[in-house]
Amino acid sequence: MDTPIYDFLNRYQSEHGVRLHMPGHKGKHFLGCEDMDITDFAGADDLARPTTIIAASEGHATELFGSQASLFSTEGSSQSIRAMVYLLSCYAQIQDRKSTGQEARRPYFIAGRNAHKAFMYALALVDGEVDWLWPPQSDSICSGRIEAEDLETALRKAPRQPAAVYLTSPDYLGGRANIRELAQICHHYGTFLAVDNAHGAYQHFLAQPCHPLDIGADICCDSAHKTLPVLTGGAYLHLGKSLPAFFKDQAKPAMNLFGSTSPSYLILASLDLANRYLAGSYAQDLAAWLEPVEKTRARLRAQGWQVEETEPLKITLRAPQGLSGLEIAQILRSHQIVEEYADRDYVVLMVTPQNSQEDLDRLTDALGQCQWAPSDERQSQVILDHLHQAPEKAMTIREAVFSAQENLEVGKALDRICASPTVSCPPAIPLAVSGERLNQQTLNLLTYYGIPKISVVAE
């Protein structure tokens, strides 16, 4: 597969021309990559309205993923999430006006509660409202499997047809939803299934493809940089083949609405080169890598560690009794091994074919034999209380996000209204949602996850 963006950049830097255009480094080395870092001058195409090299490369991605269209983002899945929510909202409002003959209502979604904060901000931007799908049980705010019966109940009881059901799969701990079954339920009720697949771009290239688009989702985003050899910020917005023509017609305008007019050509080149790898040996490399990863899981279990059942490219450890996930991360860091995420209960490790067997061996050697008793795997009462005592909605998400705000210590925030989501990244999953009145259960949860302050609507 050809690489039109990368080839153009190679030709340009080899010509050693006079750069009387942005960026200001003029191709001179500070980091060492500047000679291929350009902007969209004449001949370099335009990500906002591609017609040549970028159009060709996005066309290759579309072919590789089997989508109706696959669009590049140089601003991560966050840009794609905002565009996805906007497109779904616009389409729903058009249908609403057609069916009622009146002014369209605010966009309405049903969504899994472990959504990334980019989804919350997207709702603020479109003035959307949401009913949350709370898992019947979960021991982490990062996870929580939504079962078919829970989704069906939510759709049956919904006040009106949602613009979409929005789910995160794989989730941050590596759990995967039954997308095929959930998509069938969505379609039965006449709505779309949108998936934040930020951690699962590779799934289309497994021996049994299980990318959301392969198994029923209508629209999704992938963070290419999370699991593929792509520079940070490289991502996709994928449109399923069954989506109405409106989505393909409006997808670029939607991405432009939320994206920079100066996209990184280094990121675009890495997405372009990834096309060639995905079309070539990637599937074989991925298949060969899964066996050593599974053997590593087995070795860690034999050493007494609790390893969760996850999607193939995560190794997620549950902290044993007497040792937190944060302390496990400290052990790893003392051996120069850096985790993806750690909290009181879990450590998440992300592995790809660009790791090595030596990396896996260093992991198992660093952890050694687990000296602590296994976790009894009972759910934290703090998390259970949060699941069963959902906060009251006091304002719309948009009203809260765009209100004047103040930061309060968590212990002083009871009954105040959450303004901006307060959460670190990773995992960027808000513990309290903008517009919710903070109850004691939510404050306990914030304390549990070590959040000392929260942004609230100023009084």
Side-chain angles (χ1 to χ4, degrees), residues 24-166:
H25 54 64
K26 305 304 181 183
K28 303 302 189 293
H29 282 187
F30 290 85
L31 287 172
C33 59
E34 286 83 358
D35 53 358
M36 296 187 74
D37 178 39
I38 64 168
T39 55
D40 47 359
F41 55 77
D45 209 0
D46 179 359
L47 182 59
R49 290 169 295 278
T51 58
T52 57
I53 58 175
I54 296 175
S57 192
E58 287 187 327
H60 291 334
T62 297
E63 178 185 347
L64 284 164
F65 283 92
S67 63
Q68 180 179 168
S70 291
L71 284 66
F72 289 161
S73 164
T74 61
E75 298 173 55
S77 281
S78 294
Q79 180 186 1
S80 300
I81 288 170
R82 290 189 288 268
M84 185 161 57
V85 170
Y86 172 77
L87 285 167
L88 290 163
S89 298
C90 289
Y91 185 80
Q93 290 185 314
I94 290 170
Q95 301 308 307
D96 198 19
R97 284 193 293 269
K98 286 180 178 178
S99 63
T100 65
Q102 300 176 355
E103 186 65 27
R105 291 165 289 186
R106 293 169 54 223
Y108 165 62
F109 290 81
I110 293 175
R113 181 56 185 83
N114 61 333
H116 190 279
K117 68 178 180 180
F119 176 68
M120 317 293 178
Y121 285 132
L123 290 176
L125 292 170
V126 301
D127 196 17
E129 54 185 324
V130 61
D131 280 335
W132 296 112
L133 283 168
W134 295 83
Q137 55 183 357
S138 178
D139 57 4
S140 171
I141 192 66
C142 298
S143 190
R145 183 179 171 90
I146 303 300
E147 301 295 344
E149 54 267 29
D150 300 319
L151 176 58
E152 187 154 22
T153 298
L155 284 167
R156 189 173 62 251
K157 293 182 176 180
R160 54 192 170 100
Q161 184 169 297
V165 171
Y166 181 96

Side-chain angles (χ1 to χ4, degrees), residues 206-266:
L206 293 168
Q208 294 185 326
C210 55
H211 188 279
L213 291 192
D214 295 322
I215 51 178
D218 298 290
I219 186 169
C220 71
C221 66
D222 297 351
S223 281
H225 72 256
K226 286 184 169 64
T227 57
L228 302 179
V230 169
L231 294 180
T232 297
Y236 309 100
L237 173 65
H238 299 296
L239 310 180
K241 287 186 174 179
S242 62
L243 276 178
F246 167 88
F247 287 86
K248 187 174 182 181
D249 293 342
Q250 298 300 316
K252 269 296 178 185
M255 292 290 277
N256 297 340
L257 180 62
F258 300 108
S260 170
T261 55
S262 299
S264 165
Y265 270 72
L266 294 174

Side-chain angles (χ1 to χ4, degrees), residues 154-314:
L155 284 167
R156 189 173 62 251
K157 293 182 176 180
R160 54 192 170 100
Q161 184 169 297
V165 171
Y166 181 96
L167 298 176
T168 302
S169 179
D171 62 38
Y172 215 92
L173 299 186
R176 290 193 284 188
N178 187 340
I179 295 296
R180 192 183 305 277
E181 185 176 19
L182 298 176
Q184 290 172 351
I185 294 170
C186 289
H187 298 156
H188 175 75
Y189 281 88
T191 193
F192 299 117
L193 177 60
V195 179
D196 176 354
N197 183 54
H199 287 248
Y202 73 93
Q203 293 180 118
H204 179 65
F205 303 93
L206 293 168
Q208 294 185 326
C210 55
H211 188 279
L213 291 192
D214 295 322
I215 51 178
D218 298 290
I219 186 169
C220 71
C221 66
D222 297 351
S223 281
H225 72 256
K226 286 184 169 64
T227 57
L228 302 179
V230 169
L231 294 180
T232 297
Y236 309 100
L237 173 65
H238 299 296
L239 310 180
K241 287 186 174 179
S242 62
L243 276 178
F246 167 88
F247 287 86
K248 187 174 182 181
D249 293 342
Q250 298 300 316
K252 269 296 178 185
M255 292 290 277
N256 297 340
L257 180 62
F258 300 108
S260 170
T261 55
S262 299
S264 165
Y265 270 72
L266 294 174
I267 296 173
L268 288 175
S270 72
L271 286 164
D272 191 44
L273 283 171
N275 283 341
R276 184 170 67 186
Y277 182 36
L278 296 177
S281 65
Y282 179 69
Q284 292 75 23
D285 293 349
L286 179 61
W289 177 241
L290 298 185
E291 183 177 358
V293 174
E294 190 52 47
K295 286 182 176 179
T296 299
R297 291 192 187 96
R299 183 177 170 187
L300 288 169
R301 290 186 179 109
Q303 291 173 190
W305 297 97
Q306 293 173 270
V307 183
E308 298 293 287
E309 294 296 330
T310 64
E311 44 98 349
L313 295 188
K314 278 197 176 73

